[in-house]
Amino acid sequence: MSELLKKAQIYQEERADRVPNTQRPSFHVSSPIGWINDPNGWSVYQGEYHLFFQYHPYNTHWGPMHWGHMKTSDFIKWERMPVAMAPDMEYDKNGCFSGSAIEINGEHILMYTGVYEEEVNDKKEVYQVQCIAVGDGKEYRKIEHNPVITAKMLPEGCSFHDFRDPKIWMKDGIYYALIASKDKDNDGQVVIFKSKDLKKWDYVNSLDQSEQRYGAMWECPDLFELDGQDVLIASPQFMEAEGLEFHNGNGTMCIIGKVDTSNKLIRDKVHAIDYGLDYYAPQTLEATDGRRIMIGWMQSWDNYITPEEFEWSGIMSIPRVLNVKNNRLYQYPVIEIEAYRNNKFIKDMSIIAGESYIQLIKGREIDLILKINKAECSCFEIKLACGNGRFTTISYEPMKEIITFDRTYSGLRKDVQCIRKMKIDPFHEDMEIRILMDKYTIEMFVDGGKYAMSSLIYTDLDIDNIDFSTDGQVDLVIEKYDICV
């Protein structure tokens, strides 16, 4: 074990337990100490689910990337593991960037991007290369053949600066890796490599490209088959807004189609994965029961709102089960969360203009399901973490077919993005809005997960009222549970 890795492991164990559990989310992965971002190595190993992540334990801001590590048996309770990797080799001395993992013959294989800098003609050049580490679920060693893929293996003109985030899988005895890249025209693309032994890799082709429309770099790509379709998910950088579908900056994207015999993705549908303020870099695994389960990083690169007094920064989303229906990716919280439901509240009622419902329900660790039967109004509002002049509003406008999330009055003291909107289907009976809240996280799923919206708030935890209001009448069934883990 290198001194850098040993230092990180000791630092984590000395500091992580100092963070009070009352401050942490209860059923979401959060940083043990310091900073985390992209989920990595989301995989099954020996019957348990392992999650690695980009990790800088020494600061609550991004820094030299390590791989942190947690595992779970039910997607809700998580066990902290030793730091898995540190930037301790020449080929990754500037960071162990994002990657993935698979189990092969009892070994846990990690594939990641190593980053290093060199002086070339008096200019500092950054190189990104793909590397392999092998372990037993707790300890990992980097293989001597690293780096196994370099930008020299790409077609002429492709970027060696932007070449990262490998997603590895095996099919018919061959290993494949899908990697984010930029082509000779500086256009975002995802490329495929293959190998028989994890050591010698060959370039296959470019699976799909941005075409100068969907951002300039597709980070953290993932490709899988689901419900008879091929699905590519990615996180484009430097996007330009398109209506309410895609927002500026870093976002998420799902492409549904079919991969043809030449390994090209023929698109049927392109849409955003999550419409909230804080969701990025999702990655999927196939669970032992066959479910496709996705987890993402709940934070925005451009809207850092972690409170200054926190010694940790970074939360992952609730793991979500995926399905494809009518050429659209649906996502819904894993059913395992239901085992932790307590204090059931259910009420069939009408919300009437001019009345307050703030004494009806409360909570900051809740599963709230609203089944709306009638919406004779122009706006229906749900206020969460409400009290002392603070609140976060979810507004549903049935005539405009828009849901708006607004954290302007959540207690923020930074000039950051607070409002985001998403377009949904026309109103129909039994329309469902499900809100899963874990102290600071608000994840909303509309109509069984056809639309998802994930955002953070850092309102004081003792502010936990929930209120409803409308300018007309809304008939609905309110079903609410406390989540106790």
Side-chain angles (χ1 to χ4, degrees), residues 150-330:
T150 72
K152 293 179 181 179
M153 301 161 67
L154 289 165
E156 186 176 353
C158 290
S159 172
F160 54 80
H161 298 292
D162 293 298
F163 180 46
R164 56 185 176 270
D165 310 340
K167 179 61 188 274
I168 186 172
W169 73 95
M170 176 185 269
K171 184 175 181 180
D172 299 328
I174 303 295
Y175 298 98
Y176 294 89
L178 184 71
I179 308 173
S181 172
K182 283 186 179 179
D183 67 14
K184 59 183 177 57
D185 298 317
N186 206 37
D187 194 31
Q189 64 176 346
V190 286
V191 296
I192 300 175
F193 282 79
K194 67 178 181 180
S195 172
K196 293 181 179 179
D197 59 5
L198 295 174
K199 301 169 186 175
K200 183 180 183 304
W201 290 79
D202 296 306
Y203 176 80
V204 178
N205 71 329
S206 174
L207 177 74
D208 201 359
Q209 303 81 32
S210 170
E211 299 172 351
Q212 303 296 331
R213 178 179 177 184
Y214 299 110
M217 177 72 177
W218 289 0
E219 293 198 305
C220 304
D222 192 352
L223 178 68
F224 50 90
E225 296 179 37
L226 186 62
D227 297 322
Q229 298 276 65
D230 292 319
V231 181
L232 172 66
I233 65 173
S235 296
Q237 293 183 301
F238 312 114
M239 286 278 284
E240 292 188 27
E242 288 190 13
L244 297 182
E245 189 63 33
F246 296 106
H247 59 79
N248 293 321
N250 292 4
T252 58
M253 177 178 65
C254 167
I255 301 176
I256 297 172
K258 287 302 262 186
V259 178
D260 67 15
T261 55
S262 63
N263 287 305
K264 290 286 187 179
L265 180 58
I266 308 303
R267 301 176 186 173
D268 286 333
K269 177 78 171 181
V270 181
H271 66 82
I273 297 171
D274 192 289
Y275 297 87
L277 290 159
D278 298 289
Y279 194 82
Y280 194 70
Q283 191 172 98
T284 76
L285 61 74
E286 184 178 347
T288 55
D289 58 8
R291 289 177 296 170
R292 178 64 56 173
I293 297 179
M294 179 175 73
I295 193 168
W297 176 47
M298 280 194 69
Q299 189 160 301
S300 165
W301 285 111
D302 294 328
N303 287 288
Y304 179 81
I305 62 172
T306 301
E308 292 181 2
E309 66 271 19
F310 279 22
E311 294 186 74
W312 62 274
S313 177
I315 303 172
M316 298 299 176
S317 70
I318 193 75
R320 304 170 182 183
V321 178
L322 302 182
N323 292 106
V324 173
K325 303 176 187 178
N326 299 319
N327 258 8
R328 187 170 184 91
L329 189 70
Y330 281 64

Side-chain angles (χ1 to χ4, degrees), residues 76 95 109 138 149 155 168-169 180 222 235 237 264 279 293 311 317-318 338 356 359-360 370 399 414 420 431 439 468:
I76 306 301
I109 310 296
K138 186 175 181 179
I149 303 175
I168 186 172
W169 73 95
D222 192 352
S235 296
Q237 293 183 301
K264 290 286 187 179
Y279 194 82
I293 297 179
E311 294 186 74
S317 70
I318 193 75
E338 296 180 15
S356 174
Q359 300 300 321
L360 190 64
L370 307 176
M399 289 182 283
K414 295 182 178 180
R420 188 145 290 155
M431 175 183 170
K439 293 190 174 112
F468 302 94

Side-chain angles (χ1 to χ4, degrees), residues 21 23 39 52 74 103 114 152 163 167 170 218 239 292 362 364 409 437 480:
N21 284 332
Q23 187 187 85
F52 303 83
D74 71 352
E103 180 179 2
K152 293 179 181 179
F163 180 46
K167 179 61 188 274
M170 176 185 269
W218 289 0
M239 286 278 284
R292 178 64 56 173
K362 63 170 56 180
R364 291 287 292 270
Y409 299 101
M437 197 172 183
K480 179 252 180 183

Side-chain angles (χ1 to χ4, degrees), residues 94-158:
N94 293 102
C96 299
F97 279 19
S98 293
S100 53
I102 54 173
E103 180 179 2
I104 298 293
N105 299 325
E107 292 187 312
H108 206 193
I109 310 296
L110 313 184
M111 190 173 194
Y112 71 100
T113 297
V115 182
Y116 66 96
E117 294 181 354
E118 284 187 353
E119 292 285 340
V120 179
N121 298 324
D122 297 323
K123 181 183 177 183
K124 186 178 291 185
E125 297 282 7
V126 178
Y127 296 88
Q128 298 184 348
V129 294
Q130 315 315 316
C131 311
I132 298 285
V134 180
D136 59 3
K138 186 175 181 179
E139 296 180 351
Y140 295 84
R141 59 175 177 81
K142 299 169 184 177
I143 67 172
E144 62 183 14
H145 296 84
N146 283 334
V148 295
I149 303 175
T150 72
K152 293 179 181 179
M153 301 161 67
L154 289 165
E156 186 176 353
C158 290

